[in-house]
Amino acid sequence: MGRDGDPVGFVVPARNAYHPVIAYLGVVPKHRGHGYVDGLLAEGTRILADEGVPRIRAATDLGNTPMANAFARAGYVNFERAINMAW
């Protein structure tokens, strides 16, 4: 919750066919730039870690520097890049 009591965003910790993942994380536009992403990511990571999983994966678009920086601050390791093309 923000200082005004409004929700600041949400995080979806989940599991895909291969790994536990941070499936989605979003910060409400009016609350962006205030550091809420770190708390949301920490909570999603905590939920998955409490299950005793060996690793948690997450991804973001290459151009989403703020999210990539949040992953780095939280200790996530950048280990590969993928290019998805659609026609």
Side-chain angles (χ1 to χ4, degrees), residues 20-34:
V21 297
I22 299 296
Y24 199 87
L25 190 154
V27 177
V28 176
K30 78 176 194 174
H31 291 295
R32 291 179 184 160
H34 301 285

Side-chain angles (χ1 to χ4, degrees), residues 22 41 45 54-60 67-81:
I22 299 296
L41 181 56
T45 301
R55 75 184 54 82
I56 301 165
R57 295 208 172 158
T60 190
M67 192 68 240
N69 291 341
F71 286 135
R73 285 191 303 274
Y76 282 76
V77 175
N78 187 350
F79 69 95
E80 76 179 5
R81 292 182 182 207

Side-chain angles (χ1 to χ4, degrees), residues 14-62:
R15 182 174 190 79
N16 65 19
Y18 308 104
H19 306 284
V21 297
I22 299 296
Y24 199 87
L25 190 154
V27 177
V28 176
K30 78 176 194 174
H31 291 295
R32 291 179 184 160
H34 301 285
Y36 292 117
V37 66
D38 294 328
L40 291 166
L41 181 56
E43 181 63 8
T45 301
R46 183 199 61 76
I47 289 168
L48 293 170
D50 283 354
E51 296 297 316
V53 300
R55 75 184 54 82
I56 301 165
R57 295 208 172 158
T60 190
D61 294 330
L62 186 58

